[in-house]
Amino acid sequence: MTATGKREWTPDQLAAIRARRANILVAAAAGAGKTAVLVERIIQRLTDPEDPVSLENLLVVTFTEAAAAEMRQRIGAALEAAVARDPENEALRRQLLLLNRAHISTIHSFCLWVLRTYFYRLDLDPGFRVMDPAEADLMQLEVMDRVLEEAFAAEPDGGPVTDLADSLGGRGDANLVDLVLRVWEFSRSLPWPEAWLEQVTASYKVTPETPLESLPWYGELRQLITLELQEAAWYLEQARQAAAAPGGPAVYLENLENEKEQVTRLLEEVGDLPWEELNAKLAAVHFGRLKAARGEDVDPVLKERAGKLRNQARDLLYALKEDLCRDEAAVRAELERSGELVTTLVGLVRRFDAALREAKGRRNLIDFSDLEHLCLRVLLDEGAGPGRLQPSDVALELRQRFAEVLVDEYQDINTVQDAILTLVSRQDVAENNLFMVGDVKQSIYRFRLANPDLFLAKYRQYPEGEGGPNRRILLKANFRSRQGVVDGVNFIFRQVFSPLVGELEYDAAAALVGRAGYPENPAAATPAVEVYLQEGKVAADTGAGEPGAG
């Protein structure tokens, strides 16, 4: 704030407030004032002397009802202040009157408005009721019990469903129920769930001529192996340093250097190896017996450290070999067997979905997932196939109505919600008007099927420069925390974030910049930061001394 009480905006905040005629992604770090920026952008759109926008022509989507209420309150307070400064301004007074009718809501509230307004576009009774989550969960379990009872009754002497249940183990059918529900819930987070289910079953239909390396899971497997090899190489390097230190068990060095060379060479090759060669290379990794390290000049602490670290690398590599090393024929047999189980699972998911829709239809009920999918049906052209976001005439009508679509906490939306927002926003080169604010580092709702990859894709694709149809703006300044806290957070995040772990490189663009302006504490010129690490479980001791033969 200035001495007059007026807020001073940073250049990046001003860019986010004033940018126009583009799809804009604002990557706002913790404490960067993103809500204040979003409110100020809305106020400046409403009061623009050259091109003012009315509240009824804005769609503002927030993550929770509480956030929507706060946003509405902030906009109202800002409008009241503007009216107080210019009481004769009829346009501002009208915006205050429109505030309670403005589309400032969660995505589900917006979907509900679409369905109430355009129910006649669907086979939907306008008197429908939206179930609360507890009621929806109870209905799902009731329907699931009935579907499984019918499925088991149809195969009294055993069959595919019984086989699937047995393969999952556990007591009763709890694991089967959990798996069917999880697959069903994930499919419902996608715009075209049936197309995804088709793709899932098709991915297991592998002909003898299909190279294993071309299958969808092979790239994921390579990433996993790469991470494990990198970890093993780190353990071996730390063990080597302990052995090479004064007083260290120098007799270990020959083994450690040889073993690290094996791992490093495999790391360099893993990205290009076909299945058989990858297995052969993994199987060839060998950890020999260490020589005895005795004598008064050997430090027992360094000896124990080198031994433990080397054991960690060995155990990790041998676990990889045990899990992965098998010939191609065995893998293809496993894929065929898995394909049979997956086909049965997908069949159960479809039967459950049909039975649940029938049960809800009898009582004229819908759930939150139905809100999204029914809204999407209204907004999609009837001829649009899977993967094609072709707007219906309703979507085109809403595009004309909404001069701008503003989305808060964009990192926490799912794929079907993103499709809805894309359809109601203008995606023409000259009129792009989707404004998204979020921080992928604060995405914590994957358990609710949020898809932060949507944010990351735009973060990587959108340029920072203005003038194009898409633009990325970074809000890195933190106005909440002392510099010591900012430095501590940056230090920790640089260690844990990477494209493979955390999905983001914590570089200068992602790091926080301290701008809180707290007065200096003379008692702590260099403030210390306390970090408390909570471990879910402690790994078992791998032993020390002379590890045995590999």
Side-chain angles (χ1 to χ4, degrees):
M1 294 284 186
T2 64
T4 62
K6 188 175 180 181
R7 180 161 189 161
E8 286 187 341
W9 302 101
T10 67
D12 290 334
Q13 287 176 326
L14 281 175
I17 291 167
R18 295 173 177 173
R20 300 286 187 271
R21 295 180 180 84
N23 291 328
I24 299 165
L25 179 74
V26 178
K34 69 178 181 64
T35 303
V37 166
L38 194 54
V39 170
E40 183 65 19
R41 179 180 177 86
I42 293 169
I43 294 300
Q44 290 203 13
R45 293 301 313 259
L46 300 178
T47 59
D48 189 325
E50 297 182 1
D51 185 23
V53 172
S54 178
L55 264 174
E56 60 192 336
N57 299 123
L58 294 178
L59 172 59
V60 184
V61 175
T62 61
F63 190 67
T64 64
E65 295 290 355
E70 180 190 359
M71 182 73 67
R72 195 181 298 272
Q73 186 274 329
R74 287 199 187 198
I75 294 171
L79 282 171
E80 287 172 356
V83 169
R85 291 191 298 270
D86 186 7
E88 303 301 320
N89 192 321
E90 290 295 329
L92 285 176
R93 298 171 72 88
R94 181 173 181 273
Q95 296 309 307
L96 265 176
L97 294 174
L98 289 171
L99 183 59
N100 287 331
R101 296 174 52 201
H103 285 285
I104 304 171
S105 67
T106 64
I107 186 68
H108 290 128
S109 293
F110 173 69
C111 291
L112 181 59
W113 174 82
V114 170
L115 295 188
R116 295 289 189 206
T117 306
Y118 300 99
F119 67 90
Y120 56 87
R121 305 288 298 240
L122 303 165
D123 183 17
L124 184 66
D125 186 328
F128 68 85
R129 179 173 65 84
V130 182
M131 293 185 286
D132 63 53
E135 184 182 6
D137 289 345
L138 184 60
M139 178 180 281
Q140 289 172 19
L141 291 176
E142 290 174 352
V143 171
M144 180 64 71
D145 284 344
R146 188 168 70 251
V147 167
L148 289 183
E149 183 179 349
E150 293 171 356
F152 286 124
E155 44 184 57
D157 299 321
V161 176
T162 304
D163 195 16
L164 175 61
D166 291 344
S167 71
L168 295 172
R171 307 180 73 179
D173 302 322
N175 288 346
L176 179 59
V177 169
D178 179 64
L179 182 59
V180 172
L181 285 176
R182 284 193 291 122
V183 173
W184 175 78
E185 287 171 355
F186 179 79
S187 72
R188 297 290 292 172
S189 74
L190 305 172
W192 296 276
E194 180 56 36
W196 180 77
L197 290 172
E198 286 282 353
Q199 180 184 347
V200 166
T201 53
S203 65
Y204 285 87
K205 295 174 182 175
V206 180
T207 65
E209 294 76 29
T210 305
L212 295 182
E213 299 79 30
S214 68
L215 299 179
W217 50 265
Y218 197 75
E220 302 288 333
L221 183 66
R222 276 179 173 153
Q223 282 195 356
L224 171 65
I225 294 172
T226 298
L227 283 173
E228 300 283 89
L229 291 174
Q230 287 173 343
E231 185 177 352
W234 186 87
Y235 287 141
L236 290 169
E237 174 58 23
Q238 297 303 305
R240 191 197 66 78
Q241 291 180 21
V251 292
Y252 291 179
L253 282 172
E254 182 178 353
N255 285 67
L256 292 169
E257 288 170 355
N258 174 267
E259 289 152 5
K260 187 187 175 188
E261 183 183 351
Q262 292 180 66
V263 173
T264 303
R265 188 165 57 246
L266 186 52
L267 253 177
E268 294 170 351
E269 298 172 343
V270 68
D272 302 316
L273 292 175
W275 178 261
E276 292 286 7
E277 283 189 53
L278 179 58
N279 274 267
K281 298 268 187 183
L282 269 174
V285 175
H286 177 69
F287 283 64
R289 183 178 295 277
L290 291 174
K291 297 176 182 177
R294 302 189 180 94
E296 296 181 358
D297 58 336
V298 176
D299 184 336
V301 174
L302 288 173
K303 175 182 174 181
E304 180 182 15
R305 174 172 170 75
K308 279 188 173 182
L309 287 164
R310 194 253 189 176
N311 277 353
Q312 286 178 279
R314 181 198 62 190
D315 294 347
L316 195 154
L317 263 296
Y318 281 14
L320 258 186
K321 291 164 68 170
E322 183 178 349
D323 290 341
L324 299 180
C325 287
R326 63 200 74 181
D327 62 29
E328 186 169 323
V331 174
R332 291 186 181 277
E334 288 179 12
L335 281 173
E336 183 176 355
R337 167 68 175 151
S338 298
E340 295 169 356
L341 296 173
V342 168
T343 299
T344 302
L345 173 61
V346 168
L348 280 176
V349 170
R350 286 173 170 147
R351 288 162 70 176
F352 168 74
D353 181 63
L356 184 62
R357 279 190 281 111
E358 193 270 337
K360 288 185 290 190
R362 284 200 315 269
R363 306 181 203 177
N364 203 22
L365 298 172
I366 65 174
D367 57 27
F368 286 116
S369 174
D370 294 325
L371 277 175
E372 296 171 359
H373 278 274
L374 291 171
C375 178
L376 187 63
R377 278 179 55 192
V378 172
L379 299 175
L380 269 176
D381 185 83
E382 290 183 0
R388 293 183 59 210
L389 288 178
Q390 186 174 338
S392 66
D393 54 348
V394 171
L396 294 173
E397 177 185 323
L398 293 177
R399 285 186 179 188
Q400 290 302 309
R401 172 172 180 168
F402 296 128
E404 186 159 89
V405 177
L406 303 100
V407 188
D408 196 12
E409 305 294 1
Y410 181 69
Q411 78 278 355
D412 286 323
I413 69 169
N414 66 31
T415 311
V416 66
Q417 293 166 357
D418 187 61
I420 290 168
L421 295 170
T422 300
L423 285 166
V424 298
S425 59
R426 300 172 188 170
Q427 298 301 306
D428 304 309
V429 173
E431 293 188 272
N432 287 338
N433 67 337
L434 185 58
F435 184 87
M436 301 152 285
V437 184
D439 180 14
V440 74
K441 299 185 294 298
Q442 298 183 62
S443 180
I444 60 172
Y445 287 101
R446 285 204 179 188
F447 70 96
R448 292 184 183 174
L449 302 176
N451 185 3
D453 287 342
L454 298 168
F455 183 102
L456 285 167
K458 292 181 173 64
Y459 184 88
R460 293 172 181 137
Q461 294 168 9
Y462 286 12
E464 287 193 53
E466 57 184 310
N470 303 310
R471 183 181 179 186
R472 182 184 68 188
I473 299 174
L474 305 179
L475 300 186
K476 300 185 293 180
N478 176 286
F479 297 93
R480 181 183 300 161
S481 307
R482 290 185 179 273
Q483 189 61 45
V485 174
V486 170
D487 292 341
V489 169
N490 283 338
F491 173 78
I492 293 172
F493 280 15
R494 285 192 189 100
Q495 320 308 312
V496 300
F497 271 89
S498 73
L500 285 179
V501 180
E503 301 173 319
L504 181 72
E505 192 71 50
Y506 200 79
D507 53 15
L512 297 176
V513 176
R515 292 287 297 274
Y518 287 104
E520 290 187 12
N521 184 353
T526 305
V529 177
E530 294 184 10
V531 178
Y532 296 88
L533 298 178
Q534 301 259 353
E535 295 190 48
K537 62 179 181 178
V538 179
D541 192 343
T542 54
E546 277 80 40

